[in-house]
Short mmCIF file of all heavy atoms in Angstrom, two decimals:
data_model
loop_
_atom_site.label_atom_id
_atom_site.label_comp_id
_atom_site.label_asym_id
_atom_site.label_seq_id
_atom_site.Cartn_x
_atom_site.Cartn_y
_atom_site.Cartn_z
N MET A 10 31.26 73.79 64.86
CA MET A 10 31.47 72.70 65.77
C MET A 10 30.56 71.53 65.60
O MET A 10 30.87 70.39 65.58
CB MET A 10 31.42 73.28 67.23
CG MET A 10 32.02 72.26 68.20
SD MET A 10 33.69 72.16 68.05
CE MET A 10 34.20 71.67 69.64
N THR A 11 29.30 71.87 65.27
CA THR A 11 28.30 70.81 64.94
C THR A 11 28.61 69.98 63.78
O THR A 11 28.32 68.88 63.70
CB THR A 11 26.87 71.55 64.87
OG1 THR A 11 26.62 72.31 66.10
CG2 THR A 11 25.82 70.53 64.65
N GLU A 12 29.16 70.70 62.79
CA GLU A 12 29.52 70.03 61.56
C GLU A 12 30.57 68.97 61.83
O GLU A 12 30.62 67.99 61.17
CB GLU A 12 30.05 70.99 60.44
CG GLU A 12 28.94 71.94 60.09
CD GLU A 12 29.42 73.21 59.45
OE1 GLU A 12 30.66 73.48 59.35
OE2 GLU A 12 28.63 74.05 59.03
N GLN A 13 31.49 69.28 62.73
CA GLN A 13 32.48 68.35 63.15
C GLN A 13 31.93 67.12 63.75
O GLN A 13 32.40 65.89 63.45
CB GLN A 13 33.53 69.00 64.06
CG GLN A 13 34.75 68.15 64.32
CD GLN A 13 35.73 68.83 65.23
OE1 GLN A 13 35.45 69.90 65.78
NE2 GLN A 13 36.93 68.28 65.32
N TYR A 14 31.01 67.25 64.62
CA TYR A 14 30.24 66.07 65.22
C TYR A 14 29.59 65.18 64.17
O TYR A 14 29.54 64.08 64.23
CB TYR A 14 29.28 66.47 66.23
CG TYR A 14 30.07 67.12 67.52
CD1 TYR A 14 29.63 68.34 67.99
CD2 TYR A 14 31.04 66.45 68.16
CE1 TYR A 14 30.19 68.85 69.09
CE2 TYR A 14 31.65 66.91 69.30
CZ TYR A 14 31.20 68.15 69.71
OH TYR A 14 31.82 68.70 70.77
N TRP A 15 28.97 65.85 63.25
CA TRP A 15 28.32 65.16 62.07
C TRP A 15 29.37 64.28 61.30
O TRP A 15 29.07 63.17 60.90
CB TRP A 15 27.50 66.12 61.11
CG TRP A 15 26.24 66.48 61.65
CD1 TRP A 15 25.90 67.66 62.18
CD2 TRP A 15 25.02 65.65 61.69
NE1 TRP A 15 24.64 67.72 62.60
CE2 TRP A 15 24.02 66.42 62.24
CE3 TRP A 15 24.82 64.39 61.30
CZ2 TRP A 15 22.78 65.99 62.52
CZ3 TRP A 15 23.53 63.81 61.47
CH2 TRP A 15 22.52 64.66 62.03
N ALA A 16 30.47 64.91 61.01
CA ALA A 16 31.59 64.27 60.31
C ALA A 16 32.04 63.09 61.05
O ALA A 16 32.33 61.96 60.53
CB ALA A 16 32.73 65.20 60.06
N TYR A 17 32.20 63.14 62.44
CA TYR A 17 32.68 62.01 63.27
C TYR A 17 31.53 60.95 63.26
O TYR A 17 31.88 59.75 63.23
CB TYR A 17 32.93 62.52 64.71
CG TYR A 17 34.18 63.25 64.85
CD1 TYR A 17 34.22 64.33 65.75
CD2 TYR A 17 35.30 63.01 64.12
CE1 TYR A 17 35.38 65.06 65.92
CE2 TYR A 17 36.50 63.68 64.25
CZ TYR A 17 36.58 64.71 65.21
OH TYR A 17 37.66 65.39 65.31
N GLY A 18 30.31 61.39 63.33
CA GLY A 18 29.21 60.41 63.36
C GLY A 18 29.11 59.63 62.02
O GLY A 18 28.96 58.51 61.95
N ALA A 19 29.27 60.33 60.84
CA ALA A 19 29.34 59.69 59.54
C ALA A 19 30.40 58.78 59.50
O ALA A 19 30.20 57.65 59.00
CB ALA A 19 29.31 60.79 58.46
N ALA A 20 31.62 59.09 59.89
CA ALA A 20 32.80 58.27 59.83
C ALA A 20 32.59 57.00 60.71
O ALA A 20 32.93 55.91 60.25
CB ALA A 20 34.07 59.02 60.33
N ALA A 21 32.04 57.17 61.92
CA ALA A 21 31.66 56.12 62.77
C ALA A 21 30.73 55.15 62.11
O ALA A 21 30.87 53.91 62.24
CB ALA A 21 31.27 56.51 64.12
N ALA A 22 29.76 55.70 61.47
CA ALA A 22 28.66 54.79 60.86
C ALA A 22 29.26 54.03 59.61
O ALA A 22 28.96 52.85 59.44
CB ALA A 22 27.59 55.76 60.23
N ILE A 23 30.15 54.76 58.82
CA ILE A 23 30.76 54.06 57.72
C ILE A 23 31.73 52.98 58.17
O ILE A 23 31.73 51.86 57.62
CB ILE A 23 31.55 55.07 56.82
CG1 ILE A 23 30.51 55.91 56.15
CG2 ILE A 23 32.38 54.39 55.93
CD1 ILE A 23 31.06 57.05 55.51
N ALA A 24 32.50 53.29 59.26
CA ALA A 24 33.36 52.29 59.88
C ALA A 24 32.55 50.99 60.45
O ALA A 24 32.99 49.85 60.19
CB ALA A 24 34.20 52.86 60.92
N LEU A 25 31.41 51.28 61.01
CA LEU A 25 30.58 50.21 61.46
C LEU A 25 30.00 49.33 60.43
O LEU A 25 30.04 48.14 60.42
CB LEU A 25 29.41 50.81 62.40
CG LEU A 25 28.58 49.82 63.09
CD1 LEU A 25 29.27 49.11 64.07
CD2 LEU A 25 27.33 50.42 63.62
N VAL A 26 29.62 49.95 59.31
CA VAL A 26 29.10 49.19 58.17
C VAL A 26 30.24 48.30 57.57
O VAL A 26 30.01 47.14 57.31
CB VAL A 26 28.55 50.15 57.12
CG1 VAL A 26 28.21 49.31 55.84
CG2 VAL A 26 27.29 50.69 57.62
N ILE A 27 31.43 48.87 57.40
CA ILE A 27 32.52 48.14 56.88
C ILE A 27 32.87 46.96 57.73
O ILE A 27 33.21 45.81 57.30
CB ILE A 27 33.76 49.04 56.54
CG1 ILE A 27 33.39 50.01 55.41
CG2 ILE A 27 35.08 48.28 56.29
CD1 ILE A 27 34.44 51.12 55.20
N ILE A 28 33.12 47.29 59.00
CA ILE A 28 33.49 46.12 59.94
C ILE A 28 32.45 45.07 60.05
O ILE A 28 32.69 43.86 60.12
CB ILE A 28 33.70 46.76 61.45
CG1 ILE A 28 34.97 47.60 61.35
CG2 ILE A 28 33.82 45.71 62.44
CD1 ILE A 28 35.25 48.41 62.64
N SER A 29 31.14 45.48 59.98
CA SER A 29 30.00 44.48 59.95
C SER A 29 30.05 43.55 58.76
O SER A 29 29.83 42.36 58.81
CB SER A 29 28.65 45.15 60.09
OG SER A 29 28.59 45.86 61.26
N GLY A 30 30.32 44.21 57.61
CA GLY A 30 30.47 43.39 56.43
C GLY A 30 31.56 42.41 56.44
O GLY A 30 31.54 41.35 56.01
N PHE A 31 32.64 42.92 57.02
CA PHE A 31 33.94 41.99 57.05
C PHE A 31 33.60 40.88 58.03
O PHE A 31 33.95 39.69 57.77
CB PHE A 31 35.07 42.85 57.57
CG PHE A 31 36.37 42.03 57.59
CD1 PHE A 31 36.98 41.56 56.45
CD2 PHE A 31 36.98 41.72 58.77
CE1 PHE A 31 38.18 40.95 56.38
CE2 PHE A 31 38.13 40.94 58.86
CZ PHE A 31 38.78 40.61 57.62
N VAL A 32 32.95 41.08 59.08
CA VAL A 32 32.66 40.12 60.10
C VAL A 32 31.63 39.08 59.48
O VAL A 32 31.82 37.86 59.65
CB VAL A 32 32.01 40.61 61.38
CG1 VAL A 32 31.48 39.68 62.33
CG2 VAL A 32 33.18 41.35 62.18
N LEU A 33 30.66 39.55 58.72
CA LEU A 33 29.82 38.68 58.00
C LEU A 33 30.44 37.76 56.99
O LEU A 33 30.20 36.55 56.83
CB LEU A 33 28.62 39.52 57.30
CG LEU A 33 27.61 38.72 56.42
CD1 LEU A 33 26.74 37.98 57.32
CD2 LEU A 33 26.77 39.70 55.66
N PHE A 34 31.43 38.47 56.27
CA PHE A 34 32.22 37.77 55.24
C PHE A 34 33.00 36.61 55.92
O PHE A 34 32.97 35.50 55.52
CB PHE A 34 33.11 38.66 54.62
CG PHE A 34 34.18 38.05 53.70
CD1 PHE A 34 33.76 37.39 52.49
CD2 PHE A 34 35.49 37.91 54.16
CE1 PHE A 34 34.81 36.77 51.68
CE2 PHE A 34 36.49 37.28 53.38
CZ PHE A 34 36.11 36.75 52.11
N LEU A 35 33.66 36.90 57.02
CA LEU A 35 34.49 35.98 57.74
C LEU A 35 33.62 34.74 58.27
O LEU A 35 33.95 33.61 58.32
CB LEU A 35 35.36 36.49 58.81
CG LEU A 35 36.56 37.18 58.35
CD1 LEU A 35 37.32 37.81 59.57
CD2 LEU A 35 37.52 36.32 57.58
N ALA A 36 32.44 35.21 58.85
CA ALA A 36 31.66 34.15 59.50
C ALA A 36 31.12 33.18 58.43
O ALA A 36 30.97 31.98 58.63
CB ALA A 36 30.53 34.79 60.24
N ALA A 37 30.75 33.65 57.28
CA ALA A 37 30.26 32.82 56.19
C ALA A 37 31.34 31.92 55.73
O ALA A 37 31.07 30.74 55.40
CB ALA A 37 29.71 33.72 55.07
N LEU A 38 32.50 32.45 55.53
CA LEU A 38 33.62 31.57 55.04
C LEU A 38 33.91 30.43 56.04
O LEU A 38 34.09 29.32 55.60
CB LEU A 38 34.82 32.51 54.82
CG LEU A 38 35.96 32.04 54.03
CD1 LEU A 38 35.44 31.69 52.55
CD2 LEU A 38 37.08 33.00 53.89
N ILE A 39 34.01 30.81 57.28
CA ILE A 39 34.18 29.72 58.28
C ILE A 39 33.09 28.75 58.25
O ILE A 39 33.26 27.51 58.47
CB ILE A 39 34.43 30.35 59.72
CG1 ILE A 39 35.71 31.09 59.77
CG2 ILE A 39 34.35 29.27 60.84
CD1 ILE A 39 35.93 31.93 60.95
N SER A 40 31.79 29.25 58.22
CA SER A 40 30.66 28.33 58.22
C SER A 40 30.68 27.41 56.92
O SER A 40 30.28 26.27 57.03
CB SER A 40 29.32 29.19 58.14
OG SER A 40 28.27 28.41 58.17
N VAL A 41 30.99 28.02 55.83
CA VAL A 41 31.01 27.16 54.64
C VAL A 41 32.01 26.05 54.80
O VAL A 41 31.88 24.85 54.39
CB VAL A 41 31.42 28.04 53.39
CG1 VAL A 41 31.76 27.13 52.16
CG2 VAL A 41 30.17 28.89 53.04
N LEU A 42 33.24 26.38 55.27
CA LEU A 42 34.35 25.47 55.32
C LEU A 42 34.05 24.38 56.46
O LEU A 42 34.59 23.24 56.36
CB LEU A 42 35.59 26.14 55.62
CG LEU A 42 36.19 27.02 54.61
CD1 LEU A 42 37.37 27.83 54.94
CD2 LEU A 42 36.43 26.23 53.36
N ARG A 43 33.26 24.68 57.37
CA ARG A 43 32.91 23.68 58.36
C ARG A 43 31.65 22.90 58.11
O ARG A 43 31.27 22.04 58.81
CB ARG A 43 32.68 24.50 59.83
CG ARG A 43 33.87 24.89 60.34
CD ARG A 43 33.71 25.43 61.83
NE ARG A 43 35.02 25.67 62.42
CZ ARG A 43 35.04 26.11 63.75
NH1 ARG A 43 34.05 26.25 64.39
NH2 ARG A 43 36.28 26.26 64.22
N SER A 44 30.97 23.31 57.13
CA SER A 44 29.66 22.61 56.71
C SER A 44 30.00 21.09 56.17
O SER A 44 31.13 20.87 55.81
CB SER A 44 28.99 23.38 55.63
OG SER A 44 29.64 23.21 54.39
N PRO A 45 28.86 20.39 56.20
CA PRO A 45 29.15 19.00 55.73
C PRO A 45 29.22 18.90 54.27
O PRO A 45 29.38 17.75 53.68
CB PRO A 45 27.79 18.23 56.26
CG PRO A 45 26.82 19.31 56.43
CD PRO A 45 27.61 20.56 56.84
N LEU A 46 29.11 20.02 53.52
CA LEU A 46 29.30 19.96 52.01
C LEU A 46 30.72 19.43 51.70
O LEU A 46 31.69 19.81 52.39
CB LEU A 46 29.05 21.30 51.42
CG LEU A 46 27.77 21.94 51.59
CD1 LEU A 46 27.68 23.34 51.02
CD2 LEU A 46 26.62 21.10 50.80
N ARG A 47 30.78 18.72 50.71
CA ARG A 47 32.15 18.26 50.22
C ARG A 47 32.38 18.53 48.75
O ARG A 47 31.37 18.73 47.93
CB ARG A 47 32.14 16.77 50.44
CG ARG A 47 32.22 16.30 51.88
CD ARG A 47 33.44 16.73 52.58
NE ARG A 47 33.33 16.72 54.01
CZ ARG A 47 33.62 17.69 54.84
NH1 ARG A 47 33.92 18.84 54.44
NH2 ARG A 47 33.33 17.51 56.06
N GLY A 48 33.63 18.65 48.42
CA GLY A 48 34.04 18.70 47.02
C GLY A 48 33.55 20.05 46.38
O GLY A 48 33.78 21.21 46.80
N GLY A 49 32.83 19.83 45.28
CA GLY A 49 32.54 21.00 44.39
C GLY A 49 31.65 21.97 44.96
O GLY A 49 31.83 23.16 44.73
N MET A 50 30.71 21.63 45.79
CA MET A 50 29.76 22.51 46.35
C MET A 50 30.47 23.50 47.38
O MET A 50 30.14 24.73 47.50
CB MET A 50 28.58 21.86 47.06
CG MET A 50 27.56 21.49 46.02
SD MET A 50 27.00 22.69 44.85
CE MET A 50 26.18 23.72 45.82
N THR A 51 31.31 22.98 48.04
CA THR A 51 32.16 23.85 49.09
C THR A 51 32.96 24.85 48.28
O THR A 51 32.99 26.00 48.63
CB THR A 51 33.08 22.98 49.95
OG1 THR A 51 32.29 22.03 50.70
CG2 THR A 51 33.86 23.94 50.80
N LEU A 52 33.58 24.37 47.15
CA LEU A 52 34.36 25.29 46.36
C LEU A 52 33.47 26.27 45.77
O LEU A 52 33.85 27.53 45.65
CB LEU A 52 35.03 24.50 45.21
CG LEU A 52 36.00 25.22 44.32
CD1 LEU A 52 37.19 25.84 45.17
CD2 LEU A 52 36.54 24.34 43.29
N VAL A 53 32.21 26.04 45.22
CA VAL A 53 31.38 27.03 44.71
C VAL A 53 31.00 28.06 45.69
O VAL A 53 30.98 29.31 45.40
CB VAL A 53 30.07 26.20 44.08
CG1 VAL A 53 28.99 27.26 43.78
CG2 VAL A 53 30.44 25.36 42.85
N TRP A 54 30.62 27.59 46.87
CA TRP A 54 30.19 28.60 47.93
C TRP A 54 31.36 29.42 48.31
O TRP A 54 31.20 30.68 48.62
CB TRP A 54 29.64 27.92 49.17
CG TRP A 54 28.14 27.59 48.98
CD1 TRP A 54 27.58 26.42 48.71
CD2 TRP A 54 27.11 28.46 48.93
NE1 TRP A 54 26.25 26.43 48.60
CE2 TRP A 54 25.88 27.87 48.64
CE3 TRP A 54 27.03 29.87 48.98
CZ2 TRP A 54 24.67 28.52 48.51
CZ3 TRP A 54 25.79 30.53 48.82
CH2 TRP A 54 24.67 29.88 48.66
N VAL A 55 32.63 28.92 48.50
CA VAL A 55 33.71 29.80 48.80
C VAL A 55 34.01 30.73 47.75
O VAL A 55 34.32 31.94 47.99
CB VAL A 55 35.05 28.86 49.10
CG1 VAL A 55 36.16 29.74 49.12
CG2 VAL A 55 34.85 28.07 50.40
N ALA A 56 33.94 30.31 46.46
CA ALA A 56 34.23 31.24 45.33
C ALA A 56 33.19 32.36 45.25
O ALA A 56 33.36 33.42 45.06
CB ALA A 56 34.24 30.48 44.05
N PHE A 57 31.86 31.93 45.43
CA PHE A 57 30.77 32.94 45.47
C PHE A 57 30.92 33.91 46.65
O PHE A 57 30.71 35.07 46.52
CB PHE A 57 29.50 32.23 45.55
CG PHE A 57 28.27 33.09 45.29
CD1 PHE A 57 28.24 33.83 44.12
CD2 PHE A 57 27.29 33.35 46.21
CE1 PHE A 57 27.17 34.60 43.86
CE2 PHE A 57 26.26 34.10 45.99
CZ PHE A 57 26.19 34.87 44.76
N THR A 58 31.34 33.42 47.78
CA THR A 58 31.64 34.39 48.92
C THR A 58 32.77 35.38 48.62
O THR A 58 32.69 36.45 48.96
CB THR A 58 31.90 33.50 50.22
OG1 THR A 58 30.78 32.65 50.45
CG2 THR A 58 32.15 34.35 51.43
N LEU A 59 33.78 34.84 47.97
CA LEU A 59 34.94 35.69 47.60
C LEU A 59 34.60 36.69 46.56
O LEU A 59 35.09 37.77 46.61
CB LEU A 59 36.15 34.84 47.27
CG LEU A 59 36.75 34.00 48.39
CD1 LEU A 59 37.90 33.12 47.86
CD2 LEU A 59 37.37 34.99 49.39
N CYS A 60 33.84 36.23 45.58
CA CYS A 60 33.52 37.14 44.45
C CYS A 60 32.48 38.16 44.86
O CYS A 60 32.52 39.31 44.23
CB CYS A 60 33.01 36.27 43.24
SG CYS A 60 34.41 35.37 42.48
N ALA A 61 31.57 37.80 45.54
CA ALA A 61 30.40 38.76 46.07
C ALA A 61 30.49 38.91 47.59
O ALA A 61 29.72 38.20 48.31
CB ALA A 61 29.11 38.26 45.53
N PRO A 62 31.36 39.69 48.12
CA PRO A 62 31.65 39.73 49.54
C PRO A 62 30.40 40.05 50.51
O PRO A 62 30.39 39.73 51.64
CB PRO A 62 32.71 40.76 49.68
CG PRO A 62 33.29 41.01 48.37
CD PRO A 62 32.25 40.59 47.42
N PHE A 63 29.41 40.72 50.00
CA PHE A 63 28.22 40.97 50.73
C PHE A 63 27.12 40.00 50.43
O PHE A 63 26.54 39.36 51.22
CB PHE A 63 27.82 42.43 50.70
CG PHE A 63 26.53 42.64 51.39
CD1 PHE A 63 26.60 42.81 52.82
CD2 PHE A 63 25.26 42.67 50.81
CE1 PHE A 63 25.55 43.06 53.62
CE2 PHE A 63 24.14 43.01 51.59
CZ PHE A 63 24.26 43.12 53.01
N LEU A 64 26.85 39.90 49.03
CA LEU A 64 25.74 39.00 48.65
C LEU A 64 26.07 37.56 48.86
O LEU A 64 25.18 36.75 49.30
CB LEU A 64 25.51 39.25 47.09
CG LEU A 64 24.34 38.51 46.52
CD1 LEU A 64 22.97 39.00 47.24
CD2 LEU A 64 24.27 38.80 45.03
N GLY A 65 27.27 37.16 48.70
CA GLY A 65 27.66 35.61 48.87
C GLY A 65 27.29 35.17 50.32
O GLY A 65 26.72 34.28 50.46
N PRO A 66 27.86 35.89 51.29
CA PRO A 66 27.55 35.48 52.70
C PRO A 66 26.15 35.57 53.00
O PRO A 66 25.56 34.71 53.73
CB PRO A 66 28.31 36.41 53.53
CG PRO A 66 29.47 36.87 52.68
CD PRO A 66 29.00 36.97 51.24
N LEU A 67 25.39 36.57 52.52
CA LEU A 67 24.02 36.74 52.82
C LEU A 67 23.22 35.53 52.27
O LEU A 67 22.37 34.93 52.92
CB LEU A 67 23.53 38.04 52.20
CG LEU A 67 22.13 38.45 52.71
CD1 LEU A 67 22.06 38.69 54.10
CD2 LEU A 67 21.79 39.73 51.90
N LEU A 68 23.51 35.14 50.98
CA LEU A 68 22.86 34.10 50.43
C LEU A 68 23.23 32.75 51.10
O LEU A 68 22.35 31.79 51.24
CB LEU A 68 23.14 33.95 48.88
CG LEU A 68 22.51 35.09 48.15
CD1 LEU A 68 22.90 34.90 46.66
CD2 LEU A 68 21.04 34.99 48.16
N TRP A 69 24.39 32.52 51.48
CA TRP A 69 24.92 31.35 52.28
C TRP A 69 23.94 31.20 53.56
O TRP A 69 23.49 30.11 53.75
CB TRP A 69 26.43 31.39 52.63
CG TRP A 69 26.70 30.39 53.57
CD1 TRP A 69 26.95 30.55 54.92
CD2 TRP A 69 26.74 28.91 53.42
NE1 TRP A 69 27.28 29.43 55.55
CE2 TRP A 69 27.03 28.37 54.64
CE3 TRP A 69 26.50 28.13 52.32
CZ2 TRP A 69 27.24 26.98 54.84
CZ3 TRP A 69 26.65 26.81 52.52
CH2 TRP A 69 27.07 26.19 53.65
N PHE A 70 23.84 32.24 54.36
CA PHE A 70 23.25 32.14 55.51
C PHE A 70 21.67 32.07 55.34
O PHE A 70 20.99 31.33 56.19
CB PHE A 70 23.44 33.27 56.48
CG PHE A 70 24.84 33.22 57.18
CD1 PHE A 70 25.77 34.14 56.96
CD2 PHE A 70 25.17 32.18 57.95
CE1 PHE A 70 27.06 34.08 57.65
CE2 PHE A 70 26.39 31.99 58.55
CZ PHE A 70 27.32 33.02 58.36
N LEU A 71 21.11 32.55 54.27
CA LEU A 71 19.71 32.38 53.91
C LEU A 71 19.27 31.11 53.27
O LEU A 71 18.34 30.53 53.64
CB LEU A 71 19.25 33.57 53.08
CG LEU A 71 19.22 34.95 53.74
CD1 LEU A 71 18.80 35.95 52.73
CD2 LEU A 71 18.22 35.01 54.87
N PHE A 72 20.14 30.62 52.41
CA PHE A 72 19.72 29.46 51.66
C PHE A 72 20.73 28.25 51.66
O PHE A 72 20.38 27.11 51.81
CB PHE A 72 19.60 29.80 50.18
CG PHE A 72 18.61 30.90 49.95
CD1 PHE A 72 18.85 32.14 49.49
CD2 PHE A 72 17.21 30.60 50.12
CE1 PHE A 72 17.95 33.12 49.37
CE2 PHE A 72 16.21 31.52 50.01
CZ PHE A 72 16.71 32.79 49.54
N GLY A 73 22.06 28.54 51.54
CA GLY A 73 23.03 27.52 51.48
C GLY A 73 23.21 26.74 52.72
O GLY A 73 23.25 25.53 52.71
N ARG A 74 23.15 27.40 53.85
CA ARG A 74 23.43 26.69 55.08
C ARG A 74 22.23 25.82 55.48
O ARG A 74 22.38 24.71 56.02
CB ARG A 74 23.57 27.76 56.20
CG ARG A 74 23.98 27.23 57.55
CD ARG A 74 24.30 28.23 58.45
NE ARG A 74 24.50 27.56 59.82
CZ ARG A 74 24.68 28.21 60.85
NH1 ARG A 74 24.85 29.52 60.86
NH2 ARG A 74 24.78 27.62 62.00
N THR A 75 20.95 26.26 55.17
CA THR A 75 19.79 25.33 55.47
C THR A 75 19.82 24.11 54.49
O THR A 75 19.42 23.08 54.89
CB THR A 75 18.57 26.13 55.16
OG1 THR A 75 18.48 26.72 53.94
CG2 THR A 75 18.36 27.28 56.28
N SER A 76 20.29 24.31 53.33
CA SER A 76 20.35 23.10 52.42
C SER A 76 21.41 22.19 52.73
O SER A 76 21.42 20.97 52.52
CB SER A 76 20.41 23.62 50.87
OG SER A 76 21.63 24.08 50.70
N ALA A 77 22.63 22.75 53.23
CA ALA A 77 23.72 21.93 53.65
C ALA A 77 23.38 21.07 54.83
O ALA A 77 23.80 19.96 55.03
CB ALA A 77 24.88 22.86 53.98
N TYR A 78 22.72 21.67 55.84
CA TYR A 78 22.40 20.98 57.09
C TYR A 78 20.99 20.36 57.19
O TYR A 78 20.73 19.66 57.99
CB TYR A 78 22.49 21.94 58.25
CG TYR A 78 23.91 22.26 58.57
CD1 TYR A 78 24.44 23.53 58.31
CD2 TYR A 78 24.80 21.41 59.24
CE1 TYR A 78 25.73 23.96 58.51
CE2 TYR A 78 26.17 21.75 59.50
CZ TYR A 78 26.59 23.01 59.13
OH TYR A 78 27.92 23.36 59.47
N GLY A 79 20.22 20.66 56.13
CA GLY A 79 18.84 20.10 56.05
C GLY A 79 18.02 20.80 57.11
O GLY A 79 18.24 21.90 57.46
N ASP A 80 16.99 20.14 57.53
CA ASP A 80 16.05 20.72 58.43
C ASP A 80 16.40 20.54 59.93
O ASP A 80 15.81 21.01 60.77
CB ASP A 80 14.58 20.11 58.29
CG ASP A 80 14.00 20.46 56.98
OD1 ASP A 80 14.41 21.60 56.45
OD2 ASP A 80 13.19 19.64 56.44
N ALA A 81 17.55 19.88 60.14
CA ALA A 81 18.08 19.54 61.53
C ALA A 81 18.47 20.87 62.28
O ALA A 81 18.32 20.93 63.43
CB ALA A 81 19.21 18.65 61.50
N ARG A 82 18.89 21.90 61.53
CA ARG A 82 19.28 23.12 62.11
C ARG A 82 18.37 24.17 62.06
O ARG A 82 17.92 24.82 61.56
CB ARG A 82 20.64 23.61 61.57
CG ARG A 82 21.74 22.72 62.07
CD ARG A 82 23.01 23.27 61.70
NE ARG A 82 23.77 23.34 63.00
CZ ARG A 82 24.91 23.80 63.08
NH1 ARG A 82 25.66 24.24 62.02
NH2 ARG A 82 25.60 23.88 64.32
#
């Protein structure tokens, strides 16, 4: 019976990681599209977000967003 609870806990943890990654991906995609970047840089960030679904959004929120909005945000 205890093994069954471990299996449910592991499945819930995996589901939480997958859902969190998907939410991060969608938030980054929306943020890139709403940013003041125009033309080529928007396309580069969207492509990077699509090609690297975890690393792309993470880098956008750490570096891209601050450079797009400057020091105002």
Side-chain angles (χ1 to χ4, degrees):
M10 195 68 155
T11 304
E12 294 160 358
Q13 186 178 13
Y14 291 128
W15 279 105
Y17 288 144
I23 291 171
L25 184 65
V26 168
I27 291 172
I28 290 170
S29 298
F31 185 70
V32 168
L33 179 69
F34 170 75
L35 282 179
L38 199 56
I39 290 169
S40 179
V41 168
L42 293 174
R43 288 186 171 186
S44 73
L46 297 175
R47 293 291 167 233
M50 284 309 295
T51 301
L52 185 62
V53 167
W54 277 109
V55 168
F57 191 59
T58 301
L59 289 172
C60 291
F63 179 74
L64 185 61
L67 189 63
L68 290 176
W69 166 253
F70 285 120
L71 289 176
F72 302 111
R74 188 171 169 183
T75 56
S76 67
Y78 289 104
D80 291 333
R82 284 193 126 175

